[in-house]
Amino acid sequence: MQHLRQFLIFIKELFRNRHLIAELTKADFRQKYLGSYLGIFWAFVHPTIYILILWFVFQVGFKSKPIEDFPFILWMLTAITPWLFFSECLQNTTNCIIENSFLVKKMAFSIGVLPIIKILSALIIHIFFVLAIFVIFLIYGYTPSLYNLQVIYYIFATVVLILGLSWLTSSLILFLKDVGQLIMMLLQFGFWMTPIFWSAKNLPQKYLSIIKLNPMYYIIEGYRQSFIYKTFFWETDLPYTIYFWCFTLFFFFAGGVIFRRLRPHFADVL
């Protein structure tokens, strides 16, 4: 009960700083590209070029065929978009306290907002690419439907997952420098073990059960349910939905508690 009480105090503290979070998110988004000729435009250019390169490699180089009667570019887009959001957020939030070490010593500043700022800054770009998915599906002749709206639910689920993990990793990396390398390794491993370029339906059940331990499997399949399969999340695999939220809420709670307990020692190790 004590941990729960501390966690609720931590959440209330962050909520009180919501206006500060909004202002710092805008500042963080602008600061990334301050001084460059194209400015904020680069925020959208980098992911676009990366996605085009992946499309060229797999579609043109490996001559990937339509998957489940869907054009490969649409299949890939619905998976690579949430993965890039997750990957960028986890990398940026893991190092956010180190990058803003000068703020740690300011007693009036709530350090817990730093991961949130990084996530919201990346969310702006992610929403742009989600809207781009709608446009590209329209170009290919697929009209919007009610199922598309549940992408909002999956964006929310991704943010909760990242926030819990970011509180955990951003606090632990100050005491265990290897955390940064571990995160990079897990992201590289997860990139290929998540069904971004291939269909999980081709896997034997024993291997699929292992792949589904990855929470990003739920998110990526959710985006495809929203745009491709046209099914609501409560209609398919309810036990896996329960697993995802148990996993996510565990790390959301554990990350918040660990962050709050280690926060008084941050200034000592920076």
Side-chain angles (χ1 to χ4, degrees):
M1 288 298 295
Q2 182 181 359
H3 290 321
L4 178 60
R5 195 159 48 246
Q6 291 178 348
F7 177 76
L8 292 176
I9 293 172
F10 180 60
I11 296 298
K12 288 179 182 178
E13 177 187 320
L14 296 176
F15 183 76
R16 284 196 300 269
N17 286 282
R18 59 190 182 279
H19 299 299
L20 175 64
I21 291 172
E23 291 302 317
L24 290 178
T25 298
K26 295 176 188 176
D28 180 78
F29 189 74
R30 294 194 204 98
Q31 188 178 10
K32 285 180 183 176
Y33 309 99
L34 191 66
S36 60
Y37 287 108
L38 294 180
I40 292 175
F41 187 61
W42 282 116
F44 308 99
V45 171
H46 287 160
T48 301
I49 292 176
Y50 183 67
I51 290 172
L52 288 174
I53 290 173
L54 288 174
W55 169 81
F56 182 83
V57 169
F58 285 92
Q59 180 77 61
V60 180
F62 291 118
K63 300 187 183 302
S64 298
K65 298 178 181 179
I67 300 178
E68 299 181 19
D69 297 325
F70 255 81
F72 179 76
I73 182 64
L74 301 183
W75 177 268
M76 185 189 75
L77 268 178
T78 52
I80 196 67
T81 300
W83 175 264
L84 288 178
F85 174 53
F86 173 79
S87 177
E88 179 188 357
C89 284
L90 193 56
Q91 290 181 69
N92 290 342
T93 55
T94 296
N95 295 298
C96 66
I97 296 177
I98 295 175
E99 292 174 358
N100 296 276
S101 58
F102 63 96
L103 293 174
V104 176
K105 299 176 182 179
K106 293 182 179 292
M107 298 303 294
F109 185 79
S110 179
I111 306 168
V113 307
L114 292 176
I116 300 176
I117 291 166
K118 293 293 184 181
I119 292 171
L120 293 179
S121 180
L123 182 60
I124 297 171
I125 303 170
H126 181 61
I127 291 174
F128 168 82
F129 279 99
V130 170
L131 295 176
I133 291 176
F134 278 95
V135 174
I136 296 172
F137 267 73
L138 274 173
I139 293 172
Y140 274 83
Y142 297 95
T143 55
S145 70
L146 187 62
Y147 296 100
N148 300 150
L149 294 179
Q150 71 176 339
V151 75
I152 298 171
Y153 159 74
Y154 288 106
I155 290 174
F156 171 76
T158 309
V159 169
V160 176
L161 173 64
I162 296 170
L163 185 54
L165 292 175
S166 67
W167 280 330
L168 182 65
T169 59
S170 63
S171 57
L172 290 181
I173 196 172
L174 300 178
F175 304 90
L176 302 168
K177 302 301 181 184
D178 293 337
V179 169
Q181 298 300 323
L182 179 62
I183 293 299
M184 292 298 296
M185 183 185 70
L186 290 176
L187 286 175
Q188 290 177 7
F189 182 72
F191 179 77
W192 297 109
M193 294 302 292
T194 305
I196 298 173
F197 307 106
W198 46 275
S199 175
K201 294 180 180 180
N202 297 329
L203 289 177
Q205 186 59 42
K206 61 179 180 179
Y207 297 122
L208 180 59
S209 299
I210 297 173
I211 293 296
K212 289 172 72 172
L213 293 175
N214 174 7
M216 280 307 293
Y217 175 89
Y218 178 77
I219 300 297
I220 285 173
E221 286 299 299
Y223 272 62
R224 286 182 175 143
Q225 286 175 7
S226 303
F227 289 98
I228 296 177
Y229 300 139
K230 305 293 185 180
T231 55
F232 289 111
F233 68 90
W234 60 81
E235 296 177 334
T236 58
D237 206 355
L238 182 59
Y240 187 56
T241 298
I242 295 173
Y243 161 77
F244 170 81
W245 280 109
C246 286
F247 180 98
T248 298
L249 293 178
F250 170 78
F251 278 98
F252 185 74
F253 175 75
V257 170
I258 291 173
F259 188 96
R260 191 174 187 276
R261 294 195 66 177
L262 294 179
R263 183 172 57 181
H265 307 289
F266 287 170
D268 298 333
V269 295
L270 285 171

